[in-house]
Amino acid sequence: MNPLQQLIRDRMAERGWSYADVARRGGIPRSTVHHLATAENLRRPPHRATLEGLAEGLTVPVGVVSAAAASAAGLAAWQESTVDPELKSLVAALTRLDATDRRHVLALVQSMLSVDRSN
């Protein structure tokens, strides 16, 4: 079970809610709640409006839902506040690399940071 499924199912069980209850509370379609609660692998995280509606429906912060959705889609949620879209994309893309490729990227970054740029 992925983190988003777990979050949805746990909150529904804690509160005794159905998919329809969560959907109504969050202003999103019941089919969307059902899909997110049962889809094992997400190709990409849901749109922001869906995440906000799901958070409202589950009565949890949107950041919790966003992090769970990102993880369910195989991405890492960037917790530090940034406005740089390239930085957000880079961090998200790194989680899709295998361990060997991540080590290569790390070595490249470390070598770039150690270069004396004062010349």
Side-chain angles (χ1 to χ4, degrees), residues 68-103:
S71 182
L75 303 172
W78 182 255
Q79 299 297 321
E80 189 174 319
S81 180
T82 182
V83 294
D84 186 345
E86 290 176 347
L87 184 57
K88 288 180 180 182
S89 295
L90 179 60
V91 170
L94 288 174
T95 64
R96 302 183 106 176
L97 298 177
D98 65 27
T100 301
D101 288 341
R102 283 193 307 270
R103 283 192 296 276

